[in-house]
Amino acid sequence: MKVLVINAGSSSLKYQLIDTENEYVIAKGICERIAIGGSVLCYKPTGKDPIEVKKDMKNHTDAVKMVLDALIAPDTGVIKSMSEIGAVGHRIVHGGERFSSSVLITDEIIKTIEELSELAPLHNPANLMGIRACKEIMPDVPMVGVFDTAFHQTMPPEAYLYGLSYDAYREMMIRRYGFHGTSHYYVSRRAIELLGKPEHETRIVTCHLGNGSSITAVKGGKSIDTSMGFTPLEGVPMGTRCGNIDPAIVMYLMDKKNWDIKKVKEYMNKKSGMLGISGVSSDFRDLSAASESGNERAKIAVDLFCYHVKKYIGAYSAAMNGLDAIVFTAGVGENDREVREKILAGLDFLGVDTDFELNRNCPRGKEAVITKPGSKVKVFVIPTDEEMVIARDTAALAKR
Ligand code: AMP
C-alpha cells in the first residue's frame, strides 16, 4: 500500500510517500512558511533532484494540495493519480492517557485529540490542521494517527507520577507522558533484533539525541521510564531547553527578574540549554567548532550534556537491574562521534567495552555496532525512522 505520512507543524508540513510493501520511500519533502507569506514546497522524488516550488499557501489545505499536485505531476510526479494513495498517516504529538497505540481517525478521535490540545498547545492544534486538510481533500482515504506519547504508556505509576499531590494527577492529568516515543520504539525494536535475545529478556537504554533529546529505559520491549515528562522540557539539557532544574528556580526567577509566566517559559524553552550555556549556538556542530577554537563555554555545554546523558544511562540500568544495549539515534546521536565518546567513556563498570576507534570511524547516518566483540553491553548507532513506523501502523490499520 502507498501511504502518505504527514507531520504537520504550525507553519510547516513534512511529508513522505512510502510503499509499505517494500518499505520504499517514493518521495518526500516539506512545505514551509505556511500562512506566513513566502511559502515554499520542497519535493524530492527518491533518486532524482529536488524541486522547489515557491507559491503562497494560505493554510494547510493549500499545502496538502501542493504536495498532491507535486506527487501526480505528469513529468516529475511519482504516481498517476491520487487514488493510488491507500491511506494517510499523521504524526500526533500528544495522545495523553487516551492513546497507547495508533488509531484510525474518526470524528470522535479528532475531538479527543482536540481535547488533548490542553496538554500540547503548540503541537496538537497544528497536527489537527494537517488532519483536517487531508480530510477535506481526500475524504474517502482512511487516516491513522500515530502518537509520540503512545510508546511510553507502559510506564508504571512509580515512573510516571511526580512527587506532587495525587490530586494533581487525578484532577489535572499532571504526570510524565514522555515524547519521541515513535523513535524510541523504532530503534529499540531494531536493537532487540540485533541482540538476538528473546525480547522479554532485553534491557535497553535508547538515547534520542537531537535538538530535543530524550532517554528511555526499554525493558522487555516496553518503555518503563523516560526522561521527558509532562512536557518536553524535562530531562537532559537540550539545544535551547534547560532540562531538569530545581523547580524553586522558577519562583526565584519570577521574583528576582519580575518575569511573568510567558517570559519564564520562553527563557527555559528557547534561551537555555546548549545555547544558554555556550552563548554560541544550540547546534552541536557549531559547539564543536567553537570548542575546538578554544571557547570554554561551548566545551562546558557539551560536557554538561554528555554528563546528564551518562547519568540517565546509569539510573535506567539500575531501574532495569542491568543493561544489554545502549542505542544512539537522531541528529546528534547518529552523527556526533565526540558526544558519543564522552558519554561512553567511563561506563566500563557497567560492562560497556566501547571500541573508540570504531566509534571514530563509524560512517554518519549508518547503522553500526561500536563496542568490542566481547562487550557485555552492546552499543548501537541506529538511524531513526519515525516515518516508517507511521507508514507501517497506517497500512496495518487501514487494511483491517
Ligand atoms: P535533530 O533534532 O534530530 O534533527 O538533530 C539536530 C541536531 O543534530 C543539531 O544540534 C545538529 O547540530 C546535530 N547534527 C546534525 N548533523 C550533525 C553532524 N554531522 N555532526 C554533529 N552534529 C550533528
Side-chain angles (χ1 to χ4, degrees), residues 136-312:
E136 192 181 329
I137 300 166
M138 303 179 268
D140 300 323
V141 179
M143 294 199 289
V144 167
V146 181
F147 301 87
D148 269 19
T149 48
F151 181 55
H152 301 302
Q153 277 299 300
T154 44
M155 283 188 287
E158 65 268 28
Y160 72 67
L161 284 178
Y162 289 111
L164 297 165
S165 68
Y166 198 71
D167 287 349
Y169 167 59
R170 226 175 13 202
E171 289 168 16
M172 291 179 279
M173 297 306 291
I174 298 176
R175 53 158 284 177
R176 177 183 311 286
Y177 291 100
F179 299 88
H180 296 140
T182 313
S183 174
H184 289 292
Y185 168 75
Y186 177 84
V187 299
S188 61
R189 295 301 320 158
R190 184 67 194 125
I192 291 167
E193 280 169 23
L194 292 170
L195 280 171
K197 275 175 88 164
E199 179 176 322
H200 69 274
E201 287 177 15
T202 54
R203 296 156 302 179
I204 303 167
V205 174
T206 49
C207 307
H208 178 110
L209 311 180
N211 193 33
S213 295
S214 66
I215 327 292
T216 297
V218 185
K219 190 176 186 192
K222 294 188 166 65
S223 168
I224 61 140
D225 204 350
T226 191
S227 61
M228 282 181 168
F230 180 58
T231 73
L233 192 53
E234 195 184 343
V236 295
M238 309 176 208
T240 58
R241 297 185 192 126
C242 61
N244 297 338
I245 57 164
D246 179 341
I249 296 170
V250 178
M251 286 84 87
Y252 190 79
L253 275 173
M254 290 176 89
D255 189 34
K256 276 271 164 197
K257 295 253 195 188
N258 212 11
W259 282 354
D260 59 8
I261 291 173
K262 199 168 153 228
K263 187 85 182 135
V264 184
K265 218 167 156 177
E266 191 194 309
Y267 175 70
M268 291 185 172
N269 277 290
K270 299 263 159 64
K271 298 192 170 152
S272 300
M274 300 299 100
L275 173 66
I277 292 166
S278 69
V280 172
S281 171
S282 62
D283 192 297
F284 278 75
R285 285 164 292 200
D286 298 342
L287 293 172
S288 166
S291 176
E292 266 169 39
S293 53
N295 186 313
E296 191 57 24
R297 275 170 54 186
K299 181 179 174 300
I300 293 171
V302 177
D303 285 350
L304 174 119
F305 176 78
C306 297
Y307 177 66
H308 279 261
V309 175
K310 189 194 288 256
K311 284 209 296 185
Y312 269 106

